[in-house]
Amino acid sequence: MFRSPIQHCRQCGAPVVYRLPDDGDTKPRAVCTACATVHYENPLNVVGTVPVWGEDGAEVLLCLRNIEPRRGKWTLPAGFMELGETTAEGAQRETIEEAGASIELGPLFTLMNVARVGQVHMYYRARLLNDHFDPGVETIEARLFTEDQIPWDEIAFRTVRETLERYFADRRQGLFGFHSIDIA
Amino acid sequence: MFRSPIQHCRQCGAPVVYRLPDDGDTKPRAVCTACATVHYENPLNVVGTVPVWGEDGAEVLLCLRNIEPRRGKWTLPAGFMELGETTAEGAQRETIEEAGASIELGPLFTLMNVARVGQVHMYYRARLLNDHFDPGVETIEARLFTEDQIPWDEIAFRTVRETLERYFADRRQGLFGFHSIDIA
């Protein structure tokens, strides 16, 4: 299982059982034993940015995590996409919440499937409008790093590492692409 | 609301109330009145393909919907992404389920935010390996259309229309891009 299995119906509170629904669906779902409501569970989107500063985006903003998982490791600003926002709006919101950074959002840069945990991660390129940061409670420190300064052994998540690697590789080539990556 | 509000806790079955959680979260969530579990609700991904056939992809495969919503309207094969699969795997699965088509999957072509209903739609380009289709129960008929034949007034969803328009526009230019689109 990816998450805690559903125990009770969100509509009526009765217990559910995991079984094939009666509508021809081929996957077991949590089906209510009282009202027969079928409960679907689907992947979640995580959205964030690669906020850059300096000549040709030589420096990238990373946040030192103040929350689990991976407290004390460095990450790009990112978090779960919320209802009512677009992927771009969510990426911008997380950058403000976690780093207190002012950015101009650019195009989508990476889309990474992490099927093992049922997540899709999307990072947008972003240009920092100034180098004043005001990190929120989820962040111990927000700091700019050149490629040589990136703490590669202290990066919180594989998705962040993959995105940073491609950012600096594309920057060296002088051409930024869009990268679709599967994380095993 | 985008969907039916949560009434009961999936963990213990007690009633929930929508309120700000105690962890500093700034959005109201369904919080259990008994065990205090916080229930998050997030956008869903819809994944599909633009399956093409013929010289330079002159024909596109559309499916006549046999299910609501928009029964009797034409769509590209697509559906909700499932746990345990990537966006690409989900797009391929839906193409098999809805059209019974054999495809070779290409790159991601459109990513469309439909924030109003809490959905992100992603379409991959795909090359049909043959023109034999075996549509599933969700589809009345699967048929190839040239640009001139596309039933523009009978397309099921705005996301499908936007994707088809960009497919034929890019094809005329001889260069396929990646398109990020917000659907109001």
Side-chain angles (χ1 to χ4, degrees):
Chain A
M1 295 297 300
F2 298 85
R3 301 165 191 132
S4 300
I6 297 171
Q7 306 280 357
H8 291 267
C9 175
R10 62 186 261 172
Q11 295 304 117
C12 77
V16 302
V17 291
Y18 277 83
R19 67 170 173 85
L20 292 181
D22 304 322
D23 62 0
D25 194 342
T26 57
K27 293 191 178 59
R29 313 282 182 185
V31 181
C32 180
T33 54
C35 74
T37 297
V38 180
H39 302 278
Y40 297 93
E41 296 159 273
N42 300 86
L44 296 175
N45 291 333
V46 172
V47 290
T49 62
V50 187
V52 303
W53 179 248
E55 191 178 355
D56 299 327
E59 296 175 87
V60 171
L61 181 66
L62 296 181
C63 298
L64 190 59
R65 287 175 64 84
N66 195 27
I67 50 170
E68 295 297 344
R70 313 291 167 80
R71 186 172 188 281
K73 302 290 184 185
W74 293 92
T75 187
L76 291 164
F80 288 110
M81 184 185 179
E82 298 273 4
L83 285 180
E85 69 187 7
T86 65
T87 48
E89 287 165 350
Q92 179 129 17
R93 174 182 53 72
E94 289 289 345
T95 307
I96 295 168
E97 286 179 8
E98 297 194 351
S102 300
I103 56 168
E104 180 183 44
L105 205 71
L108 186 61
F109 182 60
T110 53
L111 184 146
M112 292 167 288
N113 276 277
V114 197
R116 185 176 47 82
V117 293
Q119 294 180 0
V120 181
H121 292 232
M122 293 174 235
Y123 282 91
Y124 287 79
R125 285 165 53 213
R127 194 173 62 86
L128 285 161
L129 299 178
N130 58 63
D131 60 352
H132 299 291
F133 313 124
D134 181 19
V137 292
E138 297 178 14
T139 303
I140 297 168
E141 181 188 359
R143 194 203 296 179
L144 291 168
F145 293 85
T146 63
E147 182 172 8
D148 288 346
Q149 296 168 337
I150 296 275
W152 292 108
D153 294 338
E154 301 292 323
I155 298 297
F157 304 106
R158 169 100 184 269
T159 47
V160 172
R161 184 187 186 85
E162 297 271 354
T163 298
L164 287 171
E165 286 173 354
R166 278 163 184 78
Y167 173 75
F168 288 113
D170 281 11
R171 181 173 175 272
R172 280 193 296 273
Q173 296 197 350
L175 184 65
F176 290 98
F178 163 68
H179 304 276
S180 184
I181 304 157
D182 289 348
I183 308 276
Chain B
M1 294 298 299
F2 299 84
R3 303 167 188 127
S4 301
I6 297 172
Q7 306 279 355
H8 290 266
C9 176
R10 61 186 261 172
Q11 296 303 117
C12 77
V16 302
V17 290
Y18 277 84
R19 67 169 173 86
L20 291 181
D22 304 324
D23 62 1
D25 193 342
T26 57
K27 292 191 179 59
R29 312 284 183 186
V31 181
C32 180
T33 54
C35 74
T37 297
V38 180
H39 303 277
Y40 298 92
E41 297 161 271
N42 300 86
L44 296 175
N45 291 334
V46 171
V47 290
T49 62
V50 187
V52 302
W53 181 248
E55 190 177 357
D56 300 327
E59 296 175 86
V60 172
L61 181 65
L62 296 181
C63 296
L64 190 60
R65 287 175 65 82
N66 195 26
I67 51 171
E68 296 296 345
R70 313 289 166 82
R71 186 173 188 280
K73 301 290 184 185
W74 292 92
T75 187
L76 290 164
F80 288 109
M81 183 185 180
E82 297 273 4
L83 284 180
E85 68 186 8
T86 65
T87 47
E89 287 166 351
Q92 180 130 16
R93 174 182 53 73
E94 289 288 347
T95 308
I96 295 168
E97 286 179 8
E98 297 194 351
S102 300
I103 56 168
E104 179 183 45
L105 205 70
L108 186 61
F109 182 61
T110 52
L111 183 146
M112 291 167 289
N113 275 278
V114 196
R116 185 175 47 81
V117 293
Q119 294 180 0
V120 181
H121 292 232
M122 292 173 236
Y123 281 90
Y124 286 80
R125 286 165 52 212
R127 195 173 61 86
L128 285 161
L129 299 177
N130 59 63
D131 60 352
H132 300 290
F133 314 122
D134 182 19
V137 291
E138 298 179 12
T139 303
I140 297 167
E141 181 187 359
R143 193 203 296 180
L144 291 168
F145 293 87
T146 63
E147 182 172 8
D148 288 346
Q149 294 168 338
I150 296 276
W152 292 108
D153 294 336
E154 301 293 323
I155 299 298
F157 303 107
R158 169 99 182 269
T159 48
V160 173
R161 184 187 186 87
E162 297 270 355
T163 298
L164 287 171
E165 286 174 353
R166 277 162 185 80
Y167 173 76
F168 287 113
D170 281 11
R171 180 174 176 271
R172 280 193 296 272
Q173 296 197 349
L175 184 65
F176 289 98
F178 163 69
H179 303 277
S180 184
I181 303 157
D182 289 348
I183 307 276

